[in-house]
Amino acid sequence: MAVMAREEWTDTRLDDLNKKVEGIDRRMETGFAEMREEFRAIRGETKGESQAIRGEMKAEFQANRGEMKAEFQAVRAEMAALATMLNQTIYRLFGGMLVAWVVGVIAIIAQT
């Protein structure tokens, strides 16, 4: 097995390496700057979309709330009408029973 000769780092070679590293640094900084710009753009798009979705949801919830309120008011009105009809039916039933009872009492009194 051959032994490789050890290379010495001369000032020229160190300068060349330094230039390569600086080039890599510049490319990395450019890449990071591009990434930051893209992230800002994505963040802006996401924020805009989120606000639009919130606006749509708010409008839908308000519409649903209005529909539900109207439906509940209609149900309440129907329940009030049913309660009134039930009260009238009960009054008529007891009124009829009272009349029948009075007529029965009068009939019993008349027979005696």
Side-chain angles (χ1 to χ4, degrees):
M1 176 158 143
V3 176
M4 293 178 59
R6 184 173 176 178
E7 295 182 26
E8 291 185 19
W9 288 94
T10 62
D11 287 343
T12 305
R13 288 193 66 207
L14 287 172
D15 289 341
D16 290 342
L17 178 61
N18 194 26
K19 287 178 187 176
K20 287 180 184 178
V21 170
E22 286 175 0
I24 292 171
D25 283 345
R26 279 192 299 276
R27 286 191 306 219
M28 286 178 65
E29 281 301 318
T30 302
F32 288 144
E34 289 173 2
M35 286 175 55
R36 282 190 291 272
E37 287 177 33
E38 287 294 320
F39 284 137
R40 281 188 196 111
I42 291 170
R43 191 176 294 132
E45 290 175 19
T46 304
K47 185 177 181 180
E49 289 294 321
S50 296
Q51 288 174 342
I53 290 170
R54 283 185 186 135
E56 290 175 18
M57 288 176 63
K58 185 176 181 179
E60 285 294 321
F61 285 139
Q62 287 176 343
N64 287 339
R65 188 176 294 131
E67 290 175 18
M68 288 175 59
K69 186 176 180 180
E71 288 295 322
F72 282 132
Q73 287 174 345
V75 168
R76 284 185 183 135
E78 289 176 17
M79 289 177 67
L82 286 173
T84 301
M85 287 175 28
L86 181 60
N87 286 340
Q88 290 174 351
T89 302
I90 290 171
Y91 292 145
R92 288 181 185 147
L93 178 65
F94 285 123
M97 289 174 56
L98 181 61
V99 168
W101 182 78
V102 169
V103 169
V105 168
I106 293 173
I108 292 173
I109 292 173
Q111 285 181 353
T112 48

